[in-house]
Amino acid sequence: MNITEDERDAVYKTIFSRRDVRGQFKPDLIADDVLKRILTAAHHAPSVGFMQPWDFIVVKNKATKEKIKIGFESAHAESAAMFTDEKAEQYRKLKLEGILDAPLGICVTCDRSRNGPTVIGRTINSEMDLYSTVCAVQNLWLAARAENLGVGWVSIIHDSVLKDALGIPDDINIIAYLCVGYVSHFNDKPELEKLGWLPRRDIDAAIHEEKWSPK
């Protein structure tokens, strides 16, 4: 099946306009068929040994989200103390989540025991199942952007908070907690780039020919 030029351009547009959304969420509900499409896209990510180690917990309950928000606030304060004074002050001013703003959250997990201990492609690098689940997150994110939905990854939170709030067993790994919803707008640049936290690295600095070379 060939991809047409218009289809190709749409894929690149989706990639380049994807953003980590924190503060632009609207309360509009997401239709069940739209949610099913983005979760199905995530489920079609590549996975080592075709083990499909992921699961998706959809969170809509306000009380549950409030527990997660409290966990974020604690981890946020803990994280601020790790930066130098100037960066810590800038860090505290950043809005880094939309847990209560977004109409729903999606927790993406990885069951590392799925399909037994020996998995094709994981025999040497045991972390390939974790990387596979990250591919599912990326698929979900791009599918959501194609549906004009914003997604924000809440990484500043301890796994124990999510496991307690969502009843996740100890042997299941948490990969991501995502805030998902329609937004008022998408920023033209990533927010941290726009606010001067860090610049975008030049692509040529990331490309090496044949062997690693210092840039």
Side-chain angles (χ1 to χ4, degrees), residues 10 34 65 79 97 127-128 132 142 150 160 209:
V34 175
K65 290 193 283 186
S79 299
E97 52 75 38
E127 296 182 334
M128 289 302 296
S132 296
L142 293 175
S160 57
E209 297 290 345

Coordinates of all heavy atoms in Angstrom, one line a residue, residues 10 34 65 79 97 127-128 132 142 150 160 209:
A10 N 0.5 15.0 5.5 CA -0.4 15.0 6.7 C 0.4 14.4 7.9 O 0.2 14.9 9.1 CB -1.7 14.3 6.5
V34 N -13.9 8.5 19.3 CA -12.6 9.2 19.1 C -11.6 8.5 20.0 O -10.5 8.2 19.6 CB -12.8 10.7 19.3 CG1 -11.4 11.4 19.3 CG2 -13.7 11.3 18.3
K65 N -8.5 11.8 40.0 CA -7.6 12.8 39.5 C -7.0 13.8 40.6 O -5.9 14.2 40.5 CB -8.3 13.6 38.3 CG -8.5 12.8 37.1 CD -8.9 13.7 35.9 CE -10.3 14.2 35.9 NZ -10.7 14.9 34.7
S79 N 11.1 18.2 43.2 CA 12.0 18.4 42.0 C 12.6 19.8 42.0 O 13.7 20.0 41.6 CB 11.1 18.2 40.8 OG 10.6 16.9 40.7
E97 N 1.5 20.4 34.2 CA 0.5 19.4 34.1 C -0.8 20.0 33.9 O -1.0 21.2 34.1 CB 0.5 18.5 35.4 CG 0.5 19.3 36.7 CD -0.9 19.9 37.0 OE1 -1.9 19.2 36.7 OE2 -1.0 21.0 37.5
E127 N 15.1 -4.7 28.2 CA 14.3 -3.6 28.4 C 13.5 -3.3 27.1 O 12.7 -2.3 27.0 CB 15.1 -2.3 28.7 CG 15.8 -2.5 30.1 CD 16.6 -1.2 30.4 OE1 17.1 -0.5 29.5 OE2 16.8 -1.0 31.6
M128 N 13.5 -4.1 26.1 CA 12.9 -3.8 24.8 C 11.3 -3.7 25.0 O 10.7 -3.0 24.2 CB 13.2 -4.9 23.8 CG 14.6 -4.8 23.3 SD 15.0 -3.2 22.5 CE 13.9 -3.2 21.1
S132 N 9.0 -0.7 23.7 CA 7.8 -1.0 22.9 C 6.6 -0.2 23.4 O 5.8 0.4 22.6 CB 7.5 -2.5 22.9 OG 8.5 -3.2 22.3
L142 N 0.4 10.9 18.6 CA 0.2 11.4 17.2 C -1.2 11.2 16.7 O -1.8 12.1 16.0 CB 1.2 10.7 16.3 CG 2.7 11.0 16.5 CD1 3.6 10.1 15.6 CD2 3.0 12.5 16.3
G150 N -5.2 17.5 22.5 CA -3.9 17.8 23.1 C -3.6 16.7 24.1 O -4.5 16.1 24.7
S160 N 4.4 5.1 42.9 CA 3.6 4.6 44.1 C 2.3 5.4 44.2 O 1.2 4.8 44.6 CB 4.4 4.8 45.4 OG 4.8 6.1 45.6
E209 N 28.0 10.1 10.9 CA 28.2 9.3 9.7 C 29.1 8.1 10.1 O 30.3 8.3 10.5 CB 28.8 10.1 8.6 CG 27.9 11.2 8.1 CD 26.6 10.7 7.3 OE1 26.6 9.5 7.0 OE2 25.7 11.5 7.1

